C-alpha cells in the first residue's frame, strides 16, 4: 500500500483521485429490481423449496441464513423477476436496517421480498469492490440522503439507479477487493473458532458443574444441598453514599455508569436500597438466564432485589458458572412457574432448589478450568474486534483513494 502522487479532485462532498470515475448505479448494473411477498392468506413457509430472503437476512457485509425460510416451488415462477444469482448485491431499502448490504454468496437461486433490492453488477466492474463500497459509512449516509421524504424510511429503485459510485480502474478494484477479502477471511476464521470454544465451554459446564465428568484426583458422590442451606438472604441498608449498581445478564452486577445508552437514575434518597459487596449474588427480577447474577463490585441495588451471601465456605466462581448452567435453570424453572415470562424469583422459591455442593477444593479446580475457557474466548473476541477495526481503517483509505495499492 502506498500514497500515489496523482492529485485528488473534488466531487460533491468528496475528494477522489483524478483517475477514478464517477458512475451511477444504472451505469454499472445489468439489473436493479426488488422482490415481493406471496399473498399471505393461507400461506405458510416450507421446510424446503425456494430460499426466501428478507431484510432480516441482509446483515452488515454478510448474508445470515441461520434460520432459513423457503417458498413452495410454484412461487419461483411468480417471483422470477427477482430471482437471485450468486454474486448479486442485496440492499435493504425499507425499515430500520435501511442501507444495509451484502453479497448473495450461495450457489442455489433464491427470491427476495419487497424490502430488499437486487443490484446485479455488470461484468465491467468488480461486484466485490461495489459491495465493499456500499458498506462504507459515508456511502450509507449518501445513499440515505437520497431517500424520499416518508414517515417510514425507504429507498426507491430510482434512488439506487442514480446513486454515485466512485470507481478506480478495474485492476485496482480487484486488488482492493482481494485485500479486504483477506481481512474478512481472518475475521470469519476467528468467529468460527469463538463458536467452537463457546460450544466446548457449554460442554464443560454441563459435565463439570453436575459431576457427570470428574477432573483428575477427585471421586466420590457429590452432596446435594437445599440452596437455602448454602446461601442466606441479607438486607443491609443505610449506605446511601455507595454507587448504584444494575443487574445485567452478560456482565453480572455492574455500576450503572458502565451501562450503555441512556440510563434512568431513581429519584429520592437511597436509604432503602440494599448493599451489595464483592462476591455477593443478587436475585434479579427479570432474568431469562436463571435470575442470579454475581457482583465484582460494592454498591446499592433496588430494595426489590434479594442479596445472597454464602452460609458455608464456597468458591464463588464455581457458583457463578453454576447459576448460568442448564442444570440450575431447569431446576429453578420448575420451582418458579413463569420465570421466562419475567416473573419474580423469591428467596423462598430459590431455597427449594437442590444444588450441588462438592468439596471446596473441587469447586476451585472446576472454576479454574471454566475461567481459563472464558479467558480464551475473551482473547479471541478481542483479536476479532481488532481485526474488524483494522478492516474498517483499510476500507476508509482504500475505497476512497486516500491510499493506493501498487499495481503488480
Amino acid at each position: 500500500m502506498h500514497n500515489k502522487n496523482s492529485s485528488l479532485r473534488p466531487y460533491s462532498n468528496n475528494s477522489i483521485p483524478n483517475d477514478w470515475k464517477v458512475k451511477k448505479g444504472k451505469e454499472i448494473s445489468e439489473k436493479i429490481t426488488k422482490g415481493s411477498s406471496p399473498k399471505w392468506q393461507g400461506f405458510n413457509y416450507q421446510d424446503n423449496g425456494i430460499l426466501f430472503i428478507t431484510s432480516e437476512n441482509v446483515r452488515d457485509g454478510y448474508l445470515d441464513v441461520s434460520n432459513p425460510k423457503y417458498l413452495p416451488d410454484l412461487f419461483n415462477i411468480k417471483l422470477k423477476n427477482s430471482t437471485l444469482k450468486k454474486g448479486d448485491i442485496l440492499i435493504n431499502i425499507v425499515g430500520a436496517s435501511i442501507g444495509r448490504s451484502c453479497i448473495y454468496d450461495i450457489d442455489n437461486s433464491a427470491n427476495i421480498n419487497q424490502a430488499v433490492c437486487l443490484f446485479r453488477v455488470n461484468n465491467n466492474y468488480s461486484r466485490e469492490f461495489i459491495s465493499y463500497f456500499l458498506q462504507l459509512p459515508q456511502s450509507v449516509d449518501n445513499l440515505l440522503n437520497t431517500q424520499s421524504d416518508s414517515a417510514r424510511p425507504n429507498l426507491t429503485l430510482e434512488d439506487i439507479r442514480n446513486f454515485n459510485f466512485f470507481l478506480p480502474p478495474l485492476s485496482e478494484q480487484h486488488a482492493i477487493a482481494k485485500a479486504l477479502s483477506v481481512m474478512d477471511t481472518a475475521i470469519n476464521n476467528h468467529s468460527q473458532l469463538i463458536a467452537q470454544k463457546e460450544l466446548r465451554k457449554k460442554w464443560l459446564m454441563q459435565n463439570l458443574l453436575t459431576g457427570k465428568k470428574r477432573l483428575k484426583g477427585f471421586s466420590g458422590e457429590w452432596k446435594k444441598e437445599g440452596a437455602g442451606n448454602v446461601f442466606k438472604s441479607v438486607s443491609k441498608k443505610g449506605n446511601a453514599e455507595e454507587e448504584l449498581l444494575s443487574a445485567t445478564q452478560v456482565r453480572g452486577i455492574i455500576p450503572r455508569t458502565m451501562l450503555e445508552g441512556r440510563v434512568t437514575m431513581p429519584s429520592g434518597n437511597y436509604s432503602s436500597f440494599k448493599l451489595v459487596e464483592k462476591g455477593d449474588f443478587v436475585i434479579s427480577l427479570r432474568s431469562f438466564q436463571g435470575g442470579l447474577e454475581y457482583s465484582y463490585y460494592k454498591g446499592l441495588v433496588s430494595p426489590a432485589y434479594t442479596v445472597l451471601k454464602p452460609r458455608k465456605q464456597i468458591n464463588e466462581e464455581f457458583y457463578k458458572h453454576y447459576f448460568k448452567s442448564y442444570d440450575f435453570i431447569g431446576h429453578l424453572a420448575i420451582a418458579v412457574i413463569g420465570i421466562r415470562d419475567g416473573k419474580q424469583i423469591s428467596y423462598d422459591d430459590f431455597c427449594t432448589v437442590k444444588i450441588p455442593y462438592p468439596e471446596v477444593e473441587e469447586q476451585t479446580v472446576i472454576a479454574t478450568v471454566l475461567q481459563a475457557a472464558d479467558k480464551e474466548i475473551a482473547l479471541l473476541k478481542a483479536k476479532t474486534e481488532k481485526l474488524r477495526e483494522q478492516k474498517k481503517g483499510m476500507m476508509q483509505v482504500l475505497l476512497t483513494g486516500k491510499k493506493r495499492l501498487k499495481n503488480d
Side-chain angles (χ1 to χ4, degrees), residues 4 15 27 40 154 170 214 226 255 264 272 284 293 328 348 356 373:
K4 198 169 181 178
S15 295
E27 297 178 279
W40 289 108
N154 70 91
L170 183 58
R214 307 294 289 276
T264 302
S272 65
S284 58
E293 310 298 343
F328 174 72
D348 288 342

Side-chain angles (χ1 to χ4, degrees), residues 230-268:
V230 183
F231 292 93
K232 62 183 177 181
S233 172
V234 295
S235 182
K236 295 181 180 178
K237 299 180 181 180
N239 297 272
E241 72 284 356
E242 297 289 346
E243 67 177 331
L244 292 179
L245 305 176
S246 287
T248 70
Q249 292 182 6
V250 176
R251 300 160 71 189
I253 305 296
I254 61 173
R256 292 200 178 197
T257 53
M258 292 174 61
L259 293 174
E260 297 176 359
R262 294 183 62 185
V263 179
T264 302
M265 304 297 279
S267 57

